[in-house]
Amino acid sequence: MTIDIGLVDEIPVGEGRTFAVDGTQIAVFRLRDGSLRAVDAVCPHRGGPLADGLTDDCVVVCPLHGHTFDMSTGAEVSGAELSVRRYPVEAADGTIRLTLP
């Protein structure tokens, strides 16, 4: 199922925002190249707000305890047995379009 969840302009370049989608918190990031990435908004370690974390083109760092997640796979990059779900996301006519499993 693909749904529109907001406007791309709601997210400054290089930052993330959390959207509530069917009872799930999803963090959507607008990367410096303009592309979008989407993962679970809550860190599985201690509930940190991932949308507030630092990002580059590949990863997001949880602002609470520094766990780092690959935004393409959802895996924690240091090998910790933590992961977040990633979601297919794209921009269409200025709208954020998210695909749910």
Side-chain angles (χ1 to χ4, degrees):
M1 167 174 45
T2 301
I3 59 170
D4 295 343
I5 61 170
L7 299 176
V8 173
D9 288 342
E10 293 178 49
I11 308 172
V13 173
E15 295 186 20
R17 293 291 182 266
T18 298
F19 294 87
V21 180
D22 288 341
T24 300
Q25 298 291 309
I26 298 174
V28 179
F29 299 91
R30 186 175 178 192
L31 304 183
R32 296 192 194 292
D33 67 2
S35 65
L36 301 174
R37 301 285 185 276
V39 298
D40 287 332
V42 179
C43 178
H45 175 243
R46 295 266 173 108
L50 291 180
D52 294 342
L54 297 175
T55 62
D56 65 13
D57 290 340
C58 302
V59 300
V60 58
V61 180
C62 179
L64 293 186
H65 298 102
H67 286 284
T68 303
F69 298 93
D70 182 314
M71 290 188 287
S72 295
T73 66
E76 207 282 337
V77 300
S78 73
E81 293 195 20
L82 297 172
S83 65
V84 292
R85 183 180 302 203
R86 61 159 300 279
Y87 300 88
V89 63
E90 64 183 0
D93 297 322
T95 300
I96 301 166
R97 186 161 290 157
L98 185 79
T99 301
L100 296 174

